[in-house]
Amino acid sequence: MDEMDLPQMKKEVESLKYQLAFKREKSSPRHMVKWIEDGVPEDPFLNPELMKNNPWVEKGKCVLL
Amino acid sequence: MGEMEELRKEADNLKDQITEARKVVQDTTLQEAVAGTTLVGRVQLKTRKTLRGHLAKIYAMHWGTDTNCSKLCVSASQDGKLIVWDTLTTNKVSAIPLKSSWVMTCAYAPSGNMVACGGLDNMCSIYNLKGKDGNVKVMRELAAHTGYLSCCRFLSDSEIITSSGDCTCVLWDIETGTEKTIFAGHLGDCMSLAVSPDFKMFISGACDFTAKLWDIREASCRQTFSGHESDINAIGFFPNGNAVITGSDDATCKLYDLRADQELITYQDSGIMCGVTSLAPSLSGRLLLAGYDDFNVNIWDMLKAERVGVLAGHDNRVSCIGVSSDGMACCTGSWDSFLKIWN
């Protein structure tokens, strides 16, 4: 990591002031858990029903060219 | 006290205030919130296709997103080629020879009309896939970075964002080939970037061990996420855009909540001692697929933070990974010169 010079340091301080001003929210992880759990039935990697017609798997044994 | 010393003190003071502000909004931990959640069952994905054709290490891949190309992907290899693949048939839609073989990244435009790449040439080259005579040609060469191009992502056919070893990220106007905005602030090489689902923000991971969230139009750094103990090599948005996932040389992945501005959880295992090279969440965000230096991809239950599967099949480092936009397949690219499609 490089040492900052004076202009960079000034910009870093300005940036930190701006970042401090960010309006943080008490965002409960429960919202994320619910969002994920609601989406699981539509997730092809977790719902085998969705992969019954897998486009990457050959249907028949041979392909007529 | 010199001006530099005063500024340093002010910076440290501001960082302490940010730490305090984060504590104020701390709610239950993710571990507490999922105490009653069952671990996802063992996830076993099989290799459905192997894309053969590159003659050297593959460094990057990116899925197409438009409905016309959602089964297509582009890959970049240090054999000096960009290949656009039809992953269903394994046919090469385009094989594009590059001026510089030292390529480190590639991207597919959301429209499917263009691809881009770059690397040690410090440039981002844009290729038009839909040229009149059917030939794929260089459309623009975006040159201004003073370090290698580590990553690039299109916002549209007219704008692209790049990250570089010169510690900056840049928003470019592809039409004019000029820099619209320079995002400076990282203190180490920028290694990776990802654009938010609403295209208003992007995140960058760097060798200063931090990830930064940038507002594209305001041209400012909104938030900085620390915690990693080494370079961040891979970064991605959680599918709903409210969280950020990072992967690092410190052998861990982390999940950061954007609204609370803090780390939610770390994905680590005492048995994993090698760096994370790449990552991609599954469609629902329940699974995290992460590529490591030990040739494997580990699949994590993102809520319970435990490993629930592994993709083993490459004979060298997995350098890149992506999940298709419909969530139906995962593509891995490796230094063994092959790409594999899994589901």
Side-chain angles (χ1 to χ4, degrees):
Chain A
M1 275 185 272
D2 299 322
E3 267 299 319
M4 281 187 272
D5 57 21
L6 201 58
Q8 277 180 306
M9 199 64 206
K10 282 186 179 167
K11 286 208 175 116
E12 169 75 349
V13 167
E14 283 317 300
S15 179
L16 284 167
K17 284 180 184 165
Y18 188 77
Q19 291 177 63
L20 177 61
F22 174 69
K23 287 201 167 23
R24 291 162 187 83
E25 291 172 31
K26 220 176 176 90
S27 153
S28 171
R30 291 185 217 279
H31 294 309
M32 172 168 285
V33 175
K34 176 142 201 326
W35 193 89
I36 291 177
E37 287 179 340
D38 287 350
V40 162
E42 305 303 315
D43 190 332
F45 291 170
L46 292 168
N47 184 351
E49 280 300 308
L50 297 174
M51 288 310 277
K52 282 232 159 99
N53 282 316
N54 186 343
W56 285 272
V57 172
E58 247 72 68
K59 294 283 179 300
K61 291 222 183 338
C62 300
V63 177
L64 278 173
L65 292 170
Chain B
M1 229 189 298
E3 194 178 359
M4 197 61 182
E5 249 329 285
E6 289 211 19
L7 286 170
R8 243 191 268 276
K9 276 196 90 180
E10 197 177 356
D12 286 341
N13 187 290
L14 287 163
K15 285 182 187 170
D16 286 341
Q17 287 185 64
I18 290 174
T19 304
E20 283 313 303
R22 284 171 170 162
K23 285 198 188 132
V24 168
V25 295
Q26 225 166 15
D27 198 13
T28 44
T29 61
L30 184 58
Q31 287 99 317
E32 285 163 3
V34 299
T37 307
T38 326
L39 183 67
V40 144
R42 189 110 197 114
V43 175
Q44 278 168 323
L45 303 181
K46 296 191 179 140
T47 302
R48 303 296 180 184
K49 301 286 179 190
T50 298
L51 308 179
R52 295 166 216 277
H54 279 302
L55 303 171
K57 293 174 176 172
I58 291 171
Y59 275 79
M61 67 77 48
H62 195 211
W63 282 97
T65 42
D66 183 71
T67 33
N68 297 333
C69 53
S70 66
K71 305 286 189 285
L72 305 185
C73 71
V74 63
S75 61
S77 163
Q78 291 200 349
D79 62 3
K81 291 255 182 0
L82 270 192
I83 299 181
V84 178
W85 307 85
D86 177 334
T87 62
L88 292 177
T89 60
T90 74
N91 289 339
K92 298 171 190 45
V93 173
S94 297
I96 308 164
L98 306 173
K99 272 192 201 171
S100 162
S101 65
W102 302 113
V103 67
M104 295 173 69
T105 182
C106 62
Y108 217 132
S111 64
N113 293 334
M114 306 171 189
V115 288
C117 68
L120 294 184
D121 58 356
N122 298 1
M123 291 196 311
C124 182
S125 301
I126 314 284
Y127 293 83
N128 184 357
L129 294 176
K130 308 284 166 80
K132 283 194 197 105
D133 53 0
N135 280 337
V136 176
K137 288 189 296 208
V138 182
M139 220 186 90
R140 284 290 174 277
E141 283 174 341
L142 308 173
H145 277 300
T146 53
Y148 60 85
L149 206 84
S150 52
C151 195
C152 56
R153 285 292 178 259
F154 285 90
L155 291 182
S156 65
D157 279 4
S158 54
E159 288 181 318
I160 191 168
I161 301 184
T162 56
S163 62
S164 167
D166 67 11
C167 309
T168 71
C169 295
V170 172
L171 169 68
W172 302 83
D173 179 327
I174 295 175
E175 210 64 39
T176 59
T178 55
E179 296 167 289
K180 267 181 154 173
T181 313
I182 299 176
F183 301 89
H186 275 299
L187 301 174
D189 300 15
C190 293
M191 296 302 289
S192 188
L193 77 98
V195 179
S196 64
D198 66 6
F199 292 92
K200 291 182 181 170
M201 318 275 246
F202 77 93
I203 38 173
S204 57
C207 293
D208 60 7
F209 311 173
T210 73
K212 282 179 180 289
L213 175 73
W214 306 89
D215 184 315
I216 296 175
R217 301 306 158 195
E218 275 182 25
S220 58
C221 168
R222 284 262 202 100
Q223 294 162 257
T224 301
F225 300 99
S226 313
H228 276 298
E229 294 168 0
S230 188
D231 302 353
I232 293 177
N233 299 318
I235 200 161
F237 270 92
F238 185 76
N240 68 5
N242 292 336
V244 164
I245 314 166
T246 52
S248 165
D249 269 348
D250 68 9
T252 75
C253 292
K254 285 177 186 290
L255 179 67
Y256 296 94
D257 183 318
L258 291 183
R259 289 180 296 194
D261 186 37
Q262 53 198 274
E263 180 185 325
L264 276 177
I265 203 154
T266 298
Y267 303 95
Q268 63 190 346
D269 184 313
S270 54
I272 304 174
M273 288 172 291
C274 59
V276 177
T277 61
S278 49
L279 59 85
S282 71
L283 194 69
S284 65
R286 183 64 197 262
L287 301 176
L288 173 64
L289 294 95
Y292 291 75
D293 283 341
D294 65 359
F295 313 174
N296 288 331
V297 169
N298 287 312
I299 306 177
W300 296 86
D301 176 329
M302 284 201 82
L303 292 179
K304 303 293 278 184
E306 287 185 40
R307 276 197 287 177
V308 292
V310 76
L311 302 181
H314 283 292
D315 295 326
N316 206 323
R317 177 184 291 192
V318 172
S319 56
C320 49
I321 193 167
V323 169
S324 61
S325 50
D326 57 10
M328 294 196 75
C330 162
C331 177
T332 51
S334 167
W335 280 10
D336 68 9
S337 82
F338 302 118
L339 295 133
K340 286 180 185 287
I341 308 293
W342 312 73
N343 62 24

